[in-house]
Amino acid sequence: PILFSHSVFNAAAGYLASINEITGFALTVSDFAFPFFRALELGWLAIRTGQLEHCLILQVETYSELLQDAKKLADPSGRRWRPGVNCWLLESQDLSESGYLIEDLHIKSGANIAESYLHFSERVVVNGKARQSDCPLSSAAMLGTEMRNFGAHPWLNCRVEADYGSVTLNLCKN
């Protein structure tokens, strides 16, 4: 029964809220195609429309042995996905003293090719510099690293491309 309770949607959000005494609502986005960026879009829109002043965006990934086995069958040369988390704090512009502002965010969904999710290959381009992502956590993690590395850089133009769609994210320094 303990393992089941950890698999319920919003469980991770509930644990974090309880531990850190965070009040408010929580929303879980479950999708193979860009779940972090879909949650980022929802948080950004909620802040832009005045529904929220700040929002914590988390991508929590855990993988069952069954999923890892299916991935290995679909992509024998690929590496195992490691569990982990990405976390970004969004704040309204008048609350934010530093960091980047989201100028624009577009998510384009392509055909749902189930096998492409298991092969998982995303191309991440930040300010013209391209890298390959081979794990569901790595695209957002790469962008977080670029944000820290470009601390003095006034803008970041980001694009994530995959067989199942693309994400365009433009950030500017506050």
Side-chain angles (χ1 to χ4, degrees):
I2 293 172
L3 290 178
F4 172 76
S5 66
H6 296 310
S7 71
V8 174
F9 294 135
N10 272 354
Y15 294 149
L16 283 170
S18 178
I19 291 167
N20 295 297
E21 299 179 8
I22 299 171
T23 59
F25 69 91
L27 174 69
T28 296
V29 175
S30 181
D31 196 338
F32 283 105
F34 312 120
F36 180 82
F37 296 103
R38 292 187 188 286
L40 185 66
E41 180 182 46
L42 291 169
W44 175 55
L45 292 172
I47 288 174
R48 284 185 57 196
T49 59
Q51 296 174 12
L52 297 174
E53 290 183 342
H54 42 261
C55 179
L56 196 58
I57 306 295
L58 294 161
Q59 177 184 13
V60 178
E61 296 289 347
T62 61
Y63 308 107
S64 68
E65 287 303 314
L66 178 63
L67 180 61
Q68 293 284 19
D69 288 346
K71 181 195 176 321
K72 188 172 183 163
L73 284 173
D75 186 13
S77 63
R79 68 180 178 102
R80 286 178 63 89
W81 294 331
R82 289 177 308 194
V85 64
N86 287 312
C87 182
W88 288 14
L89 174 64
L90 301 184
E91 295 180 306
S92 64
Q93 188 170 354
D94 44 329
L95 288 179
S96 180
E97 296 177 13
S98 63
Y100 286 92
L101 298 174
I102 297 174
E103 283 190 335
D104 197 26
L105 173 60
H106 292 287
I107 301 170
K108 180 181 170 188
S109 295
N112 286 336
I113 305 167
E115 198 171 294
S116 67
Y117 296 134
L118 291 173
H119 285 280
F120 200 89
S121 177
E122 292 180 348
R123 183 172 181 255
V124 180
V125 181
V126 180
N127 290 355
K129 180 178 155 189
R131 286 201 209 141
Q132 207 59 33
S133 166
D134 63 355
C135 155
L137 284 165
S138 57
S139 293
M142 284 180 198
L143 291 178
T145 299
E146 292 296 330
M147 289 163 73
R148 286 187 299 280
N149 290 344
F150 282 104
H153 208 291
W155 49 267
L156 290 174
N157 292 325
C158 313
R159 183 153 175 87
V160 181
E161 301 168 341
D163 290 342
Y164 42 82
S166 64
V167 174
T168 302
L169 174 63
N170 295 311
L171 306 167
C172 69
K173 198 76 170 147
N174 188 16

